[in-house]
Amino acid sequence: MSGSPACELCDSPIPEHRESQFCSDGCRSVAGTLPADDAPEAAAEAVAEAGTTSVFFAVEGMHSATCEAYLEAVARGIDGVVDADASYVTESVRVDCDGDPPTERLTEALSGLGYDATPREERTPEERESAEGVVEGALGYRYAAGVVFASFLLIPYTVVFYPSHLASLLGGTDPLAGEGNIAMVLPVFLVLTLVVIFVTGAPVLRDAYIALKLRTPNTGLLVTLTAFAAYFYATAAFVAGGTHAYYDLAVVSVATVTGATFYESLAKRKAASALTDLTVSRVEEATRETAAGTETVPVSELAPGERVLVPEGERVPVDGTLAEGECTVAEAVVTGESTPVRKHAGDELIGGAVVTAGAAVVSVGEDVRSSVDRLASSVWGFQSATHGGQRRANRIAERVTPALLALSLLAGVGALALGRGAAGAVVATLTVPLAASPWALGFSTPLSAGSSVERALDRGVAVFDETVFERLRGVETVVFDKTGTLTTGRMEALGADVPDDLLAAAAELERRAAHPAATAIVDAFGDADAPTVESFTSHATGVEGVVGDRRVLVGNLDLFAEQGWGVPDAVRERAGDVRDAGHLPVLVGSAADAGEESTGDAVGVVAVGDESRADWERTLDRLGARGLDVVVLTGDDESAAAEFAASPHVDHVFAEVPPAGKAAAVRRLRASGPVAMVGDGTNDAPALAAADLGISLGSGTALAAEASDLAVVDDDLGGVAAAFDLSAESYQRRRWNDGGALLFNVFAIPLALSGLLNPLFTMAAAVVCCGFVAANAFRASRVA
C-alpha cells in the first residue's frame, strides 16, 4: 500500500487495478471541472512537506485572538519548535517540531495564566467537559465574589455619595465635604475595590498582561486602564478630602466585563452540550491472535503483519487486509459509500469500518493507524491553521490605546504648564482614561457573542463563537455531502412489489442477519404473526431458509445465480431500475418445496436505500434565492446523486469522491470565493475543516461536529438556511452594540471637559451604556 502512486488531486494511494492519475472517478471529475488552487496549501500540508512533526493540543481558557498570539509565542520559545498556530474558535494549538516533539515541556509551557493544555489525542470527551467545567466554575466563583463585594461597596454610594453629589448639583452644600468626614470608610473602599479588581477581574488582568507582553492592546487593557485610573483617582481624592471617589466605576467596569465573559462561556458550553450524544468511530483496543490463542491489547501496541480478530458488528481497529475468508463491511464512516461492501481474502480493510456480516481476520498494515485516526489528524491540522480571526473590538483597542495614553500624558504636562501643581497633573492624567477609555467594548463584545450563540441554539443551530457569523456572511458557495446530509443516512425500505406473506417471511430471515439492508426490511415488513423460521443459512450476499412450509431466498442477483434460482425478466428489469435510481435492489424468491436442494424463482424486489430528506428542495431554494452556488459531493456512484443533479439550484455534483478528495474539492472551490461545507459523517470531517465554514448535522459523528464551526443540532436541514438569516441578524446587533458601548464616553467626555464630571454622572453613563447594550443583545430574534 505504501508503494502505490498517489492521486494527483488528493494524494491518496491509487488502487492497483486503476490505470489513472487519480484514485477514483470522482477525483478525476473534480480535477477536470474545478480550477486548480495556485495559492499556498494549508499550513498542515506545508509542514508535512518540510519533514517536521506536528503535535496538537486542546487548550481550555482561550477566548480571543490575544490568546492565540500569546500561546503561539510561548510555543515558539521552546527549543525544537519550528512554528505554532493557535485557534481560539476551536481552542486548539498545533505545534510543528523538528524531530520528536517535546510534548511534556509544551504541555507545561502552554498551561498557566488560566489556560489548561492537554495533548489532544489524550483528552477524552469526558475529560474535556470536566476541564471546561473547572474553567467556567472558577470564572463563576470570581463573578459571584465580585457581585458580593461590589454590593457592599455600592450600598454607601447609593445611600450617601450619590445623594451628596446630587445635592451639590442642585446648589446645596456637599455634606461630605471637608477632611475627616470620609476617612473612616477609606480603608474599607481600598480593600473591597482591590478584591474585586484582582479576584473578580483576574481574567481581565490576564488579558491586559498578555497585551503588554505582546505589545498588542486589547479590550482587557482598556478595562484595566479604566479600573486603575478610577481607583487611584478615588484614593487621591479621599486622601485630599474630596468626594470625587470613583471606586464604584472601578468595581462596575471589572464586574460587568467579567460577568459578560462568564455568560459567553456558559452560552458556548450550552451549545457544546447539545452535541454530547454524538460518538466518534475510533477503536481503542483490538483482539490480537497469539500462539496461545487471543489477547486484548491497546491499538497502539499492534505491529505490522500481526493478525487481529474482528467479530461481526464491531469496528475494524486499524487499516490492513483481510487475511482469510469473506465478510461484509460498512465503510460509510470513512468513504461515504452508503452500501456495505463484500470483502474477500486479500482485500483492503479500512480502519473504522463496521463488519456487518461474518467475522474478519485482519492483517495489520504497515501504518498502524486507522483511516479515522488519519482523518482526525487532518481535521486538527486544518482547524489550527485556518481559523481564529481578530475581533473587531480588539482592533479598536489597538488604535485607541496609544492615543489614550498620549492624551493622558499631554493632559498631565498641560496641567503642570498651567501651574496646577503635581496634584492637578495627576488628576488631569487620570481623568483621560477614566472618561475617554471605551472600556464598555469589553462588555459588549462577549455579551453580543454569548447572546448570538444562545439565540442560534434556540433555533436549533449550535454555534461555538460569534466569529462564525462573520465568516458565514461572506460565503459564496455551499457544498453539501449527500449521504446523511441531503439524505437521511439511514437504510430504509423504499418500496416492494412482493406479496405481503412472502415479505413477512423474508423479514423473519433478515431478522437473523447483521446487514443494514436486513434491518431496514425487518423494520418495514416484520410481522409478529409470521411463520416460524425452521432453518437458516447466511450467504455472502443474502440469506436463505425455511419459513413455515416453504423455502425463501433473499439477496442480490448474484446470489440467485449462485443458488441456481430463476429470475424472470420483469424482476431483473425492476432490479435494474432500482439500481439506476441509486438504491439497493434486494430480490425475494420462494420455492414450493422446503427441501435443502429445492430451487425456486424470484418473485419481486425490495428497494432499499437512504431516502432524501423531505426539506432538501426548500433548503436549496432558500440558498439559491440568496445567490449562493450549491455543490454536492458524495462517495456514492452517479446514479445515487441523480435526483440532486436535476435540481435547478445545484451547480455541480461530484460522485465517487473519497474523503481526501472532498477536502481537495473544497480547497479548489475556495480559490473562487469563501466556501461553507455541510456534512454529517466522519468521512466529511477533513472537508468540513478545510472549508471557510463547516456545518455539521446533529445526526453526525463527533469528529464531524469537532471539525465544524456550527452544527444543526435538531438534524433539520432547514437550519442551514436559518444560519444565514441568523448571521445577518447577528451582524446588525453587533454593530448597534459596538456603538452603544461608546455611549459612556459620549456622556463622560463632555462632562469631564466642562468640569462637571462626578461619580453620579459616571455611574449614570455606565448604567445607560450597559443597559442599552444588554437590551439590544437580548432583543427577540425574528428568524423563524
Side-chain angles (χ1 to χ4, degrees):
M1 292 172 63
S2 61
S4 301
C7 175
E8 286 194 0
L9 178 74
C10 68
D11 262 352
S12 297
I14 298 176
E16 293 181 3
H17 68 274
R18 287 188 63 88
E19 295 182 1
S20 173
Q21 298 169 310
F22 302 98
C23 66
S24 66
D25 290 339
C27 283
R28 177 175 52 80
S29 178
V30 169
T33 305
L34 302 178
D37 182 8
D38 295 328
E41 195 50 274
E45 296 187 8
V47 166
E49 292 176 4
T52 57
T53 304
S54 297
V55 60
F56 301 89
F57 293 90
V59 183
E60 305 298 338
M62 298 176 66
H63 65 270
S64 70
T66 302
C67 298
E68 292 178 348
Y70 173 72
L71 292 171
E72 288 171 357
V74 169
R76 289 169 185 158
I78 302 296
D79 291 339
V81 172
V82 176
D83 197 8
D85 285 291
S87 167
Y88 76 87
V89 176
T90 58
E91 294 188 315
S92 61
V93 178
R94 191 194 75 240
V95 182
D96 307 324
C97 305
D98 186 7
D100 293 334
T103 305
E104 292 186 5
R105 277 190 295 156
L106 284 167
T107 301
E108 183 178 350
L110 293 174
S111 299
L113 282 181
Y115 301 116
D116 178 24
T118 306
R120 196 157 183 175
E121 67 275 7
E122 296 179 8
R123 176 167 290 189
T124 65
E126 293 76 14
E127 289 172 337
R128 182 167 183 169
E129 186 174 351
S130 175
E132 289 173 350
V134 170
V135 173
E136 288 164 9
L139 196 58
Y141 287 130
R142 292 181 188 280
Y143 180 55
V147 170
V148 171
F149 287 107
S151 298
F152 280 118
L153 187 145
L154 291 177
I155 289 174
Y157 267 88
T158 303
V159 175
V160 178
F161 286 92
Y162 296 149
S164 172
H165 289 296
L166 183 61
S168 299
L169 183 66
L170 297 176
T173 302
D174 184 352
L176 296 178
E179 297 184 9
N181 287 351
I182 56 176
M184 61 180 179
V185 297
L186 177 58
V188 177
F189 282 176
L190 284 174
V191 172
L192 289 180
T193 306
L194 283 179
V195 168
V196 174
I197 291 176
F198 284 99
V199 176
T200 301
V204 177
L205 297 180
R206 182 190 71 172
D207 281 357
Y209 168 76
I210 294 173
L212 293 174
K213 189 175 181 67
L214 298 177
R215 300 180 182 179
T216 305
N218 57 22
T219 54
L221 184 59
L222 290 177
V223 176
T224 301
L225 284 174
T226 302
F228 279 110
Y231 180 81
F232 289 122
Y233 190 114
T235 302
F238 265 5
V239 170
T243 60
H244 282 48
Y246 295 99
Y247 292 120
D248 55 343
L249 180 61
V251 166
V252 168
S253 62
V254 168
T256 54
V257 171
T258 302
T261 303
F262 179 49
Y263 166 70
E264 179 189 20
S265 179
L266 289 179
K268 290 181 181 180
R269 180 79 177 272
K270 184 179 178 182
S273 67
L275 303 175
T276 55
D277 58 337
L278 302 181
T279 58
V280 69
S281 307
R282 304 178 74 181
V283 182
E284 302 297 335
E285 295 183 329
T287 302
R288 180 172 61 189
E289 276 191 352
T290 65
T294 61
E295 62 178 352
T296 301
V297 297
V299 170
S300 59
E301 294 185 9
L302 294 176
E306 291 185 326
R307 290 160 61 99
V308 174
L309 301 182
V310 185
E312 185 175 302
E314 294 191 7
R315 294 190 182 276
V316 179
V318 294
D319 292 351
T321 57
L322 185 62
E324 60 184 50
E326 297 180 347
C327 67
T328 302
V329 296
E331 299 177 336
V333 67
V334 177
T335 66
E337 172 65 55
S338 56
T339 305
V341 180
R342 190 66 184 175
K343 296 290 186 178
H344 305 276
D347 289 347
E348 295 178 2
L349 290 177
I350 297 174
V354 179
V355 179
T356 60
V361 178
V362 182
S363 177
V364 178
E366 294 182 13
D367 185 2
V368 188
R369 288 194 302 167
S370 75
S371 293
V372 170
D373 293 328
R374 278 188 285 277
L375 289 175
S377 296
S378 173
V379 167
W380 298 342
F382 280 129
Q383 284 181 331
S384 56
T386 60
H387 295 305
Q390 182 80 4
R391 286 186 176 181
R392 184 168 179 260
N394 280 352
R395 292 198 298 268
I396 295 175
E398 288 181 14
R399 301 190 192 100
V400 169
T401 304
L404 200 63
L405 295 176
L407 285 174
S408 297
L409 181 60
L410 185 63
V413 172
L416 287 175
L418 293 174
R420 295 180 181 176
V426 170
V427 168
T429 299
L430 295 176
T431 300
V432 173
L434 192 151
S437 172
W439 63 269
L441 286 172
F443 171 72
S444 69
T445 298
L447 194 69
S448 297
S451 63
S452 294
V453 168
E454 195 165 41
R455 189 176 298 107
L457 188 60
D458 290 340
R459 176 54 185 82
V461 179
V463 180
F464 309 110
D465 194 275
E466 195 194 20
T467 58
V468 169
F469 289 132
E470 296 177 15
R471 283 179 280 150
L472 193 61
R473 283 191 296 274
V475 166
E476 297 178 8
T477 302
V478 181
V479 180
F480 285 91
D481 168 62
K482 182 189 76 71
T483 304
T485 304
L486 293 175
T487 66
T488 61
R490 297 181 297 274
M491 296 292 276
E492 300 176 6
L494 306 178
D497 57 358
V498 182
D500 290 345
D501 60 333
L502 185 53
L503 277 175
E508 287 306 300
L509 288 177
E510 294 285 30
R511 199 182 297 277
R512 290 157 173 75
H515 192 288
T519 303
I521 291 174
V522 171
D523 290 343
F525 307 115
D527 185 350
D529 297 327
T532 304
V533 175
E534 304 296 338
S535 67
F536 174 80
T537 303
S538 177
H539 297 287
T541 54
V543 294
E544 181 182 5
V546 176
V547 183
D549 58 355
R550 62 180 171 181
R551 180 164 291 277
V552 178
L553 183 65
V554 185
N556 63 13
L557 283 167
D558 291 340
L559 177 62
F560 275 73
E562 291 171 4
Q563 300 302 311
W565 285 51
V567 180
D569 291 342
V571 175
R572 191 179 299 275
E573 183 178 346
R574 166 66 176 153
D577 292 341
V578 170
R579 182 163 294 283
D580 290 342
H583 305 309
L584 176 67
V586 179
L587 279 63
V588 180
S590 68
D593 186 355
E596 292 185 9
E597 302 299 327
S598 62
T599 60
D601 296 307
V603 175
V605 178
V606 179
V608 178
D610 55 337
E611 194 169 10
S612 301
R613 291 181 183 268
D615 56 348
W616 77 268
E617 290 181 291
R618 173 170 169 73
T619 299
L620 296 193
D621 286 345
R622 293 174 64 183
L623 296 177
R626 287 182 166 273
L628 297 169
D629 294 332
V630 176
V631 175
V632 176
L633 297 175
T634 179
D636 290 339
D637 59 27
E638 290 185 6
S639 63
E643 179 182 15
F644 307 109
S647 171
H649 298 297
V650 175
D651 297 276
H652 298 289
V653 172
F654 298 105
E656 300 182 53
V657 183
K662 291 180 181 180
V666 167
R667 290 196 295 271
R668 289 202 172 201
L669 287 166
R670 288 180 65 194
S672 301
V675 174
M677 171 72 191
V678 187
D680 80 311
T682 297
N683 69 92
D684 302 322
L688 287 166
D692 296 279
L693 190 113
I695 304 173
S696 68
L697 295 189
S699 60
T701 65
L703 186 57
E706 189 169 314
S708 303
D709 302 285
L710 65 87
V712 182
V713 296
D714 293 333
D715 199 23
D716 171 20
L717 193 59
V720 176
F724 282 88
D725 297 334
L726 289 166
S727 170
E729 185 178 77
S730 171
Y731 176 66
Q732 293 298 327
R733 287 178 190 269
R734 196 203 68 188
R735 290 190 62 184
W736 276 98
N737 276 356
D738 285 349
L742 301 178
L743 283 175
F744 175 85
N745 309 102
V746 169
F747 291 120
I749 291 175
L751 289 170
L753 292 174
S754 62
L756 298 176
L757 191 67
N758 63 43
L760 175 63
F761 286 147
T762 57
M763 189 50 54
V767 169
V768 170
C769 170
C770 294
F772 175 87
V773 170
N776 184 61
F778 295 114
R779 181 165 44 89
S781 173
R782 297 180 180 179
V783 177

